[in-house]
Amino acid sequence: MVHKRAEAIHEVPRERPKAPETDSSRDERKHNAAPGRVSERQETFTTVSGVPIERLYTAENLGDFDYARELADPGQFPFTRGIHRTMYRGKFWTMRQFSGFGTPEDTNRRLHYLLAQGQTGLSIAFDLPTLMGYDADHSLAEGEVGKCGVAVSSLADMETLLAGLPLETVTTSMTINSPAVMIWAMYLVVAERQGARWEKISGTIQNDILKEYIAQKEYIFPPKPSMRLVVDSIQFAAREVPRWNPISISGYHIREAGSTAVQELAFTLRDGIEYVEWVREAGMAVDDFAPRLSFFFNSHNDLFEEVAKFRAARKVWAHVMRERFGARDPRSWLCRFHTQTAGCSLAAQQPYNNVVRTAIQALAAVLGGTQSLHTNSLDEAWALPSEAAATLALRTQQVIAHESGVASTADPLAGSYFVERLTLDTERACLDYFEKIDALGGMVAAIEKGFPQREIHEAAYAYQLAVERKEKIIVGVNEYAAAEPAPLDILVIDEAAAQRQKEKLDGLKRKRDGRRAEETLEALASAAAGNTNLMPYILNCVRAYATLGEMCDVLRKVFGTYEEPAFH
Amino acid sequence: MDKRIRVLVAKPGLDGHDRGAKIIARALRDAGMEVIYTGLRQTPEQIARAALQEDVDAVGISILSGAHNTIVPRICQLLREEGLGDVLVTVGGIIPNQDIPGLKQAGVAEVFQPGASTQEVVEFIRGRVQQKA
């Protein structure tokens, strides 16, 4: 891999240099920037991420701000104001509630329910054994089957999960990373058997392994073979499933792990750069795959900081694609993204307050121009959402869409001195991180050195201490606390789910053509030892009802597994 | 004598969310304790063995996956089998109220739910370990 240092891709206006001090400017500053202590609630004001905020923003803060260069109209480079000319006047964002628990039957029922409630896209959560590439009957799956999401060990489970869902018309997002290629192959085979054409179906697999090493830590194989699987799926999508998003480059988990807004943005977009470099290295032209790269961000409580982050994301990515990679197709320049409200911001105490937090976060995502949105449920600091809580979360989006009026015009906060300054500062800070990571040799190298992991841990610890010192107030937690029992009916996962899944797996292994399954697995093993695209081999395994665990075991043998080194 | 308190911070199960475990490990260290962090995805057997080898006073288990009712009692049982029945066991993570009595019955001294401060955890461990000494 050749990593070149980022050229200074574009200039970000800094605040105007201060004029020589005169008596009147001194007076003005006294008035403006150094108010009497008594008149303000606290000495310094900062965002959730700790960025200092001034008392007042004026034209002075924007210096030589050029509309065409910094913003441009929605749908115009650099897309700061949004990727579409009409934004939500054309169509609302996709309301996509992440859902999955218990057996495939349980989750299938919830998916049908959500569509009936007006949800416009599906989003499937898998349980931890599935995320880690273990079948439901593996010893490490004990206690975990169906707990954090739905259990899927084979094509048979996927057939049940998707029963009755029209795959040519509904778009499905699947949160799956290390074994993304296997789960995607299962989805494609179900589509094939439904008669849904691959060139028509649309959806997303998360498939973002870099943020697993950085934040969520659900990795199986070492970084390099993992990157090969990502490259294989991007290439396969471009050839065979052209409307599919083969990756959703995710900041969500980075933020949940405790990063600042800037770190979330910078590490995510730098991961994006890494993927583009690797796919290009594998011989694809940038415009042949870049239009299908998609992103996934978190939306936390600090409304303006979040809006600035979303706007900066589009602008930075547009410049990266056009200048760093020379992309010519305007669709390659677009940072299209899904947003989820911040799970880590939700409190176990006084859980109804979470509805308010989620509404503010969802509003930020919409004001920031997201393409799709998941709103968290009020009970998520306790368990997976109950049906009632999930419905209220969806209703929150519907109220913002239909009642608040914010969807009637594109980028309504543009031109605010504060929002534009924050957007410029976020962009600048993001580019500074790019320089550091480029200097470390790129993101895979930075991860191997523990750089993003350490940065996030420092930010998480600083935030925790700020909360404990009450420098940051969390309503109902460190202030306005009240002794109260949890008033919620939470979702309890039926412990029998695990047993049912084991029995199904047993039955499957007896019923299937065992020799055929074995042959396809052997073919996968020899292909993995070479450097051919593995998708066709995995599809064959899936069609022969080889299980997820069997496929992952084959690759564990060939690729090895990854253990995170201890970073200090 | 003020021998330093030794704590094993343990992350069992398949879940990789280690923000809490790492923050707790650091807060305990900042409070003057010796902390050994197991790293991710340890089996109950590995955790009990580490507790024995490291001769710890307390084991702090971090679990957010919902598998606590299976995994935590197993760890407590293995600790007793290793002759470590007097080692203090605490749990932190996404633990619904109704699961707490069962966990305490299995041998857990305290469960820290979301929103608990690191100071509460530090004081609890210090108080209980010193009581025993």
Side-chain angles (χ1 to χ4, degrees):
Chain A
M1 222 41 252
V2 184
H3 293 285
K4 55 177 183 179
R5 277 180 65 86
E7 308 115 53
I9 53 171
H10 55 286
E11 286 295 314
V12 181
R14 296 174 190 272
E15 293 191 49
R16 185 176 288 168
K18 299 279 181 273
E21 201 151 281
T22 61
D23 279 353
S24 69
S25 74
R26 209 172 300 133
D27 286 350
E28 195 184 320
R29 201 183 57 222
K30 224 197 253 152
H31 181 68
N32 238 330
R37 287 270 155 76
V38 283
S39 66
E40 296 197 347
R41 288 182 283 113
Q42 50 199 50
E43 250 176 68
T44 54
F45 289 77
T46 59
T47 66
V48 163
S49 300
V51 175
I53 296 298
E54 294 178 25
R55 180 157 69 98
L56 183 68
Y57 287 81
T58 67
E60 288 280 300
N61 295 94
L62 295 185
D64 303 320
F65 189 87
D66 182 271
Y67 179 84
R69 189 184 63 203
E70 309 303 343
L71 299 178
D73 288 350
Q76 299 288 317
F77 191 92
F79 309 101
T80 314
R81 303 199 63 188
I83 63 167
H84 298 301
R85 200 162 61 87
T86 54
M87 284 309 289
Y88 306 131
R89 288 168 71 104
K91 71 177 182 55
F92 286 127
W93 60 94
T94 303
M95 299 181 193
R96 195 187 289 284
Q97 299 294 93
F98 186 40
S99 166
F101 61 93
T103 63
E105 288 85 351
D106 295 330
T107 298
N108 179 263
R109 272 192 295 276
R110 177 69 70 88
L111 296 177
H112 280 283
Y113 171 82
L114 286 167
L115 288 175
Q117 295 306 306
Q119 175 167 311
T120 48
L122 299 176
S123 174
I124 300 171
F126 297 95
D127 70 0
L128 277 165
T130 309
L131 296 176
M132 292 302 299
Y134 295 116
D135 289 339
D137 58 0
H138 195 281
S139 63
L140 288 172
E142 194 140 343
E144 312 260 23
V145 175
K147 287 286 167 62
C148 278
V150 59
V152 172
S153 303
S154 75
L155 175 62
D157 288 333
M158 191 63 96
E159 287 166 341
T160 308
L161 176 64
L162 300 173
L165 299 168
L167 300 189
E168 252 189 42
T169 51
V170 78
T171 67
T172 309
S173 168
M174 291 185 284
T175 298
I176 188 79
N177 293 283
S178 286
V181 279
M182 290 87 175
I183 293 292
W184 187 35
M186 291 179 194
Y187 188 93
L188 291 175
V189 173
V190 173
E192 185 176 86
R193 293 184 180 179
Q194 258 194 16
R197 285 154 298 175
W198 286 0
E199 65 268 27
K200 292 275 181 209
I201 64 172
S202 180
T204 306
I205 42 175
Q206 195 164 78
N207 201 21
D208 171 11
I209 197 63
L210 292 175
K211 65 92 175 57
E212 294 297 334
Y213 300 113
I214 295 173
Q216 191 173 234
K217 314 282 172 85
E218 269 128 35
Y219 38 69
I220 303 175
F221 317 112
K224 289 187 177 87
S226 293
M227 288 296 281
R228 171 187 173 185
L229 294 176
V230 175
V231 172
D232 283 357
S233 49
I234 291 174
Q235 289 182 322
F236 187 82
R239 266 203 320 269
E240 309 266 348
V241 205
R243 299 181 58 201
W244 197 273
N245 302 306
I247 190 166
S248 170
I249 306 160
S250 306
Y252 185 80
H253 321 79
I254 291 172
R255 193 68 178 281
E256 291 290 299
S259 84
T260 64
V262 163
Q263 288 167 350
E264 177 197 353
L265 177 67
F267 297 160
T268 306
L269 296 185
R270 190 58 189 72
D271 284 348
I273 291 172
E274 195 81 0
Y275 291 121
V276 173
E277 285 177 346
W278 281 64
V279 179
R280 283 214 314 185
E281 198 87 357
M284 262 184 117
V286 66
D287 284 322
D288 290 343
F289 65 93
R292 298 259 41 118
L293 301 176
S294 65
F295 291 85
F296 172 23
F297 292 110
N298 193 297
S299 190
H300 210 289
N301 281 329
D302 196 312
L303 188 127
F304 294 107
E305 176 167 66
E306 294 307 311
V307 172
K309 179 187 77 186
F310 298 129
R311 298 171 88 244
R314 282 188 293 269
K315 187 179 178 192
V316 171
W317 189 248
H319 280 287
V320 162
M321 293 311 291
R322 199 177 69 174
E323 282 123 47
R324 186 166 177 149
F325 292 116
R328 308 279 295 274
D329 183 343
R331 293 174 310 150
S332 298
W333 303 336
L334 301 181
C335 178
R336 298 174 298 127
F337 62 88
H338 171 70
T339 305
Q340 180 170 340
T341 58
C344 65
S345 74
L346 302 185
Q349 296 77 10
Q350 305 178 22
Y352 284 94
N353 298 345
N354 294 331
V355 180
V356 183
R357 294 188 178 101
T358 297
I360 293 169
Q361 297 163 7
L363 184 63
V366 170
L367 291 171
T370 194
Q371 275 59 63
S372 73
L373 180 60
H374 167 103
T375 31
N376 287 324
S377 299
L378 68 116
D379 51 1
E380 295 197 31
W382 291 106
L384 258 49
S386 68
E387 193 161 283
T391 307
L392 180 55
L394 175 61
R395 295 287 179 256
T396 306
Q397 293 198 40
Q398 291 164 337
V399 169
I400 291 173
H402 296 284
E403 301 183 29
S404 75
V406 298
S408 301
T409 190
D411 193 28
L413 295 182
S416 148
Y417 300 124
F418 177 41
V419 170
E420 296 304 354
R421 186 67 248 166
L422 265 182
T423 304
L424 292 170
D425 290 346
T426 306
E427 179 189 3
R428 178 71 259 162
C430 174
L431 298 179
D432 289 346
Y433 262 124
F434 283 4
E435 271 179 41
K436 280 185 198 156
I437 295 164
D438 288 338
L440 288 170
M443 201 42 139
V444 169
I447 287 167
E448 285 168 348
K449 295 183 175 91
F451 173 72
Q453 298 95 313
R454 258 194 312 271
E455 291 283 300
I456 295 167
H457 174 64
E458 289 303 323
Y461 197 58
Y463 178 81
Q464 179 67 28
L465 295 182
V467 170
E468 296 192 7
R469 290 191 205 108
K470 291 199 184 188
E471 289 160 13
K472 291 197 191 300
I473 299 300
I474 314 292
V475 173
V477 177
N478 64 359
E479 199 70 275
Y480 315 110
E484 48 156 10
L488 299 172
D489 286 329
I490 61 170
L491 180 76
V492 178
I493 307 295
D494 184 2
E495 293 288 341
Q499 195 47 42
R500 275 204 297 279
Q501 287 306 103
K502 279 189 210 172
E503 285 163 11
K504 275 195 258 175
L505 207 49
D506 253 15
L508 175 83
K509 285 184 182 166
R510 269 183 279 115
K511 231 169 42 198
R512 71 180 179 187
D513 178 346
R515 228 191 56 200
R516 191 173 153 228
E518 212 162 291
E519 281 165 6
T520 59
L521 288 166
E522 279 163 16
L524 174 62
S526 39
N531 52 17
T532 177
N533 190 310
L534 294 182
M535 269 308 285
Y537 296 89
I538 290 166
L539 282 158
N540 282 340
C541 292
V542 165
R543 290 187 187 108
Y545 290 92
T547 68
L548 176 68
E550 289 169 336
M551 289 184 270
C552 287
D553 280 345
V554 162
L555 296 188
R556 281 185 186 98
K557 260 191 217 127
V558 181
F559 294 158
T561 55
Y562 182 73
E563 295 287 340
E564 185 179 54
F567 297 117
H568 299 289
Chain B
M1 232 349 260
D2 54 342
K3 170 184 163 283
R4 287 174 77 184
I5 296 171
R6 288 172 67 81
V7 184
L8 182 73
V9 172
K11 193 89 186 82
L14 293 177
D15 159 40
H17 293 87
D18 59 0
R19 175 178 179 171
K22 284 181 159 177
I23 284 180
I24 291 293
R26 183 153 167 192
L28 296 177
R29 236 172 246 148
D30 285 356
M33 300 182 197
E34 284 183 56
V35 179
I36 303 100
Y37 173 46
T38 62
L40 295 171
R41 287 186 269 280
Q42 302 295 300
T43 62
E45 288 75 12
Q46 287 170 316
I47 290 168
R49 209 173 313 131
L52 181 70
Q53 280 164 1
E54 297 288 347
D55 187 26
V56 295
D57 304 294
V59 176
I61 301 168
S62 169
I63 185 161
L64 291 86
S65 71
H68 48 270
N69 290 335
T70 308
I71 288 174
V72 173
R74 176 98 186 112
I75 295 172
C76 292
Q77 186 203 331
L78 288 167
L79 287 173
R80 280 191 295 271
E81 284 172 16
E82 297 280 8
L84 303 176
D86 61 337
V87 167
L88 182 76
V89 178
T90 60
V91 175
I94 307 277
I95 314 287
N97 286 346
Q98 66 260 34
D99 293 347
I100 293 176
L103 294 178
K104 288 196 168 167
Q105 187 132 36
V108 171
E110 192 56 278
V111 175
F112 296 97
Q113 291 169 301
S117 79
T118 58
Q119 282 321 296
E120 281 171 58
V121 179
V122 166
E123 280 157 29
F124 182 83
I125 292 176
R126 191 179 278 146
R128 283 299 194 88
V129 171
Q130 281 169 354
Q131 232 171 43
K132 274 182 204 152

